[in-house]
Each structure stands twice: as C-alpha cells, then as structure tokens.
Amino acid sequence: MPNFSYRGRNGTGEIVTGTMEGATAGAVADLLFGGGVTPMEIKSAEAAAGRADSGAGINVQLFRQRVEHLDVLLFSRQIHTLLRAGVPIMRALAGLQESSINPAMREVLQDVRESLDSGRELSLSLARHPKVFSPFYLSMVRVGEMTGRLEEVFIRLFDHLTFERFMQEQVKSALRYPSFVVAAMAVAIVIVNIFVIPAFANVFKGFGAELPLMTRLLIGFSDFMVNWWHALLLGIVVAFFGFSAWRKTVNGRYTWDRFKLRIPIAGKIIRKATLARFAASFALASRSGVPIIQALTNVAETVDNAYIADKVEKMRDGVERGESILRTSISAGVFTPVVLQMIAVGEESGALDDMMKEVADMYQNEVEYELKTLAQQIEPILIVALGVMVLILALGIFLPLWDLGKVALRK
C-alpha cells in the first residue's frame, strides 16, 4: 500500500505530523480519526517528496472542476432541510447527489454514501475529503452526531458559511474600482516612460542646455525602462512568485498576516472581519456543546489569520492551565475593549455564546459599512497619487520648455 504523509491535531489541539500506510487518503483519514487525530492535510509521500510521478496526472487534474464554497454552502442548507423533514440520511444524500449541478460535488456525495454504507459515521465519511470540508466543519458535524442535533448544526454551519461568502464578495466588490485605477496608472506610467519621455529627451538634447533635476530624473528612469525592460519584467515576475512562495511558509504567513492588520484603512477592516469570524465561530461551537478547549482549537482554524490564530491557541493553553477566558483574552493583546467587555459579561453571566453572537453581529455590520465605504476612503488617496504623478511629469517635461522660452524672450 502507498504511504501518505499527514498533518493534523490531536485531542489537546497540538499539531502532529507523520506518515501512514493506506489504500487511499480517505482510509488514512479514517485511521487518524480512530486514533483521536483530526486530519488537516493528507497527501502521498511521493507528492510530499517532490511529486516524482505527478507528470502523469497533470493532464487529468488540470481542467477538472472543483467543489466550490457555494457547493458546500448549498449542501449544508439542503441537508438541514431534509433532515428536519425526517428524511433518512442516505435518501437525503442520494437526492442531493442527483440534484447537484457540479460533477465534482456529485462524486464527493457518492463517496460519502458509499462510506456510510460501509458502516462509517457521517463525520468520518466527510473527513475523506479534507479539501472540501474544513476541520472546523468536520468537528461541528461530529459534535452534532454526539449530541443528536445534526440538523441544527448544519443550519448553523450554513449561516457561518454565508457570512464567509458575504465577506469575500464584499471585499472583491470594494477593491474592484481601486484595482482598476491602480492598474490604469501603472499602464500609463509604462507608456509615458517608453514612448513619450524618449521623444522629449531627443528634443531636449538638441537644445544643448543644462536640464532641471526633475527632467534628468525622468529621462534616467525612462532610459532604464527602455534598455532594461526585460530585466525589470523578469524581476517583477520573480518577486511575485517569490512572495507567493514565502507567504505559504509558516513564518511567511505569520509575518504577512500580522502586517495586514497594520495596513492603513484596510488593516482595521481586516481586524474587524477576523474578530467577527472568531466570535461567530466561538458562538457556534459553544452553542453546539463543544468543550471550551476544543472550541478554541476549532476557532483557531477558522479565523483565516495565522497571527490571530496563534493568539487564540495561546488562549487555549491558558484555559488549560486554569486561567479564565477574560484573562487569556487580555493577554492575547488582539481584542478590542468592546470584545473584552462582552467576554467579561458573558463569562460572569454564563451566557458567553450569546455575547459572542452579539459581537459577531456588531462587527459584521461594521465590516459591511466599512466595505461599502472603502472605495470612498481610498478615492482621496488615489486622487493625490494621480495628482503627484501628473505634477512630476508636468515639471519634468515643461520646466525645460519654460526656461528655453524665457531665454528666447530675452534675446
């Protein structure tokens, strides 16, 4: 049997890695769950060592349709409705498989049905597809099976995924206009430096006069772009892929996620969105009966920010030592006074899940407003940047003409 390398979390939330033999990745996931480990990533040992045999599978996987976020969202809503109506789980999955318009989702549901037929639980069957269902999703389904409230867990997961989708769409919508303006400015800079400034440079050289500093800087930068455009383009490509590779490393992602929180304008939106995701996930886990330590472990996997996830894991360690949630939250240093106040009230009253739900709703509304006004907040910055660019070009091109005009008038 082939070997698979895995990465997951044990019952205490610690990261564990290793290799295991198994017929498929799904079979390895079943063994890991049986040993109390929640898998986060499972891949063949050959792929982890360099994908020696990946060439044969490139053509097969290149254009294969994937299961999207919307497919999982619709699945959660539909399975909740069917289970609430009393439809047996196997019949519900068969109906969803037939009605699914995504072939990849139909394959996933077919495999889940076969896994259930063989006697596995639903959470173990879904865990055979770690790229489709997140560890948080699997943990919540497992809690629903243990508590007998599976349909309630699915509707809460639907609400959670809806919020995630809303966040993504709002960010894309808010950044569409600024991205277009920045791209247009970049194209304009390239055209001006390659075609416009060289023409003026030839005219200025015929005058034989000393050019202003701004003009010399523009001509020098234009000459660099004309003569070294291939090296500049290669540098941009290498920098892009280098940054992407660095960001996928553990230290790179941690540093980048921490830096994102300090970006002007966007940083505060990212922080509020992350806190909203933390509060919503924590409230969902608490209301579903997940123990507090396991809830914090699950939440750390859903905040989508390595820096804050590290702080949440340290909170979990503090709770394990017997500290209160409020004390560990203060020590984390990432929560706003409003969140800390709500945690204090919730912990004292025993209604922490309700307080976290209030925090999630509050920050969700604030993020929605911030995203809707993001374009208006960025617009003055873009206008200033565009004005500075036009001013530099105007000074560099027209100052020599102005000086030559004054000389001609004196003669």
Side-chain angles (χ1 to χ4, degrees):
M1 288 189 295
N3 289 325
F4 291 87
S5 63
Y6 65 87
R7 186 169 68 93
R9 292 184 183 275
N10 58 21
T12 61
E14 298 177 349
I15 295 290
V16 292
T17 59
T19 58
M20 182 178 294
E21 288 187 353
T24 62
V28 173
D30 292 344
L31 294 175
L32 290 174
F33 265 111
V37 176
T38 302
M40 301 171 58
E41 182 182 20
I42 300 176
K43 55 186 178 182
S44 66
E46 293 180 354
R51 300 183 181 272
D53 300 327
S54 61
I58 291 178
N59 293 332
V60 177
Q61 301 292 336
L62 185 58
F63 300 106
R64 185 177 180 180
Q65 191 171 1
R66 300 185 305 172
V67 178
E68 303 292 341
H69 185 274
L70 180 61
D71 296 318
V72 182
L73 189 149
L74 293 177
F75 167 77
S76 303
R77 177 58 176 167
Q78 292 167 347
I79 196 70
H80 159 76
T81 303
L82 293 173
L83 293 178
R84 187 178 180 183
V87 179
I89 183 67
M90 293 299 296
R91 182 179 171 186
L93 291 173
L96 293 179
Q97 179 185 350
E98 294 176 0
S99 62
S100 178
I101 61 176
N102 188 339
M105 190 64 185
R106 286 200 298 268
E107 292 180 8
V108 170
L109 294 178
Q110 175 65 29
D111 183 78
V112 171
R113 289 178 59 201
E114 294 175 356
S115 180
L116 287 174
D117 272 334
S118 64
R120 296 186 181 93
E121 297 177 347
L122 180 60
S123 57
L124 293 176
S125 302
L126 296 177
R128 294 165 61 89
H129 304 276
K131 293 184 178 180
V132 177
F133 303 101
S134 66
F136 179 78
Y137 195 101
L138 298 175
S139 298
M140 296 307 301
V141 173
R142 200 173 187 181
V143 169
E145 290 175 329
M146 292 186 297
T147 58
R149 298 188 296 178
L150 195 57
E151 66 279 2
E152 183 179 349
V153 166
F154 273 119
I155 192 60
R156 289 179 177 174
L157 284 171
F158 169 77
D159 294 335
H160 180 75
L161 294 174
T162 301
F163 172 68
E164 295 288 322
R165 180 176 174 81
F166 164 80
M167 293 287 300
Q168 295 173 1
E169 291 180 348
Q170 287 294 317
V171 170
K172 290 180 181 179
S173 176
L175 295 180
R176 188 175 295 117
Y177 168 73
S179 300
F180 175 78
V181 173
V182 171
M185 291 174 60
V187 172
I189 291 175
V190 172
I191 293 176
V192 167
N193 281 280
I194 293 180
F195 298 103
V196 178
I197 293 181
F200 278 94
N202 293 330
V203 175
F204 294 153
K205 289 178 181 178
F207 293 156
E210 184 179 358
L211 300 176
L213 175 62
M214 187 66 68
T215 305
R216 282 179 283 159
L217 291 175
L218 287 178
I219 293 177
F221 184 70
S222 176
D223 290 340
F224 174 78
M225 288 194 66
V226 171
N227 297 325
W228 297 93
W229 64 268
H230 50 284
L232 187 61
L233 181 61
L234 179 63
I236 293 175
V237 173
V238 171
F240 173 78
F241 285 103
F243 175 75
S244 299
W246 171 76
R247 196 175 59 178
K248 291 179 181 179
T249 63
V250 176
N251 292 333
R253 185 185 177 191
Y254 180 90
T255 304
W256 173 244
D257 286 346
R258 183 177 183 180
F259 173 76
K260 286 192 300 186
L261 300 177
R262 302 177 180 179
I263 299 176
I265 299 178
K268 64 178 182 180
I269 300 178
I270 295 174
R271 180 181 292 272
K272 290 180 179 180
T274 305
L275 292 179
R277 191 179 293 113
F278 163 83
S281 302
F282 190 85
L284 173 59
S286 298
R287 289 183 173 182
S288 301
V290 181
I292 187 67
I293 296 177
Q294 185 63 35
L296 290 173
T297 301
N298 294 342
V299 169
E301 298 170 352
T302 61
V303 293
D304 196 26
N305 187 291
Y307 174 69
I308 293 184
D310 179 68
K311 297 296 184 181
V312 174
E313 290 178 353
K314 290 180 179 178
M315 288 176 57
R316 181 203 63 209
D317 297 338
V319 173
E320 284 182 327
R321 293 192 300 267
E323 299 179 10
S324 65
I325 299 178
L326 177 60
R327 183 181 180 85
T328 57
S329 301
I330 296 174
S331 301
V334 295
F335 299 104
T336 62
V338 175
V339 176
L340 295 176
Q341 184 177 0
M342 297 293 275
I343 291 176
V345 173
E347 194 170 23
E348 184 176 355
S349 62
L352 188 58
D353 53 343
D354 293 333
M355 293 296 101
M356 288 294 97
K357 187 63 171 62
E358 293 291 336
V359 170
D361 293 339
M362 177 187 67
Y363 276 126
Q364 182 175 349
N365 293 332
E366 289 191 15
V367 169
E368 182 177 358
Y369 174 78
E370 294 281 358
L371 290 175
K372 287 181 178 179
T373 60
L374 180 60
Q376 288 83 352
Q377 298 180 56
I378 297 179
E379 187 173 354
I381 300 177
L382 295 177
I383 293 175
V384 171
L386 183 61
V388 170
M389 185 181 71
V390 172
L391 178 62
I392 292 174
L393 291 174
L395 292 176
I397 293 175
F398 293 112
L399 272 180
L401 298 178
W402 176 260
D403 293 339
L404 291 173
K406 291 192 295 183
V407 173
L409 290 176
R410 290 176 183 175
K411 294 181 179 179

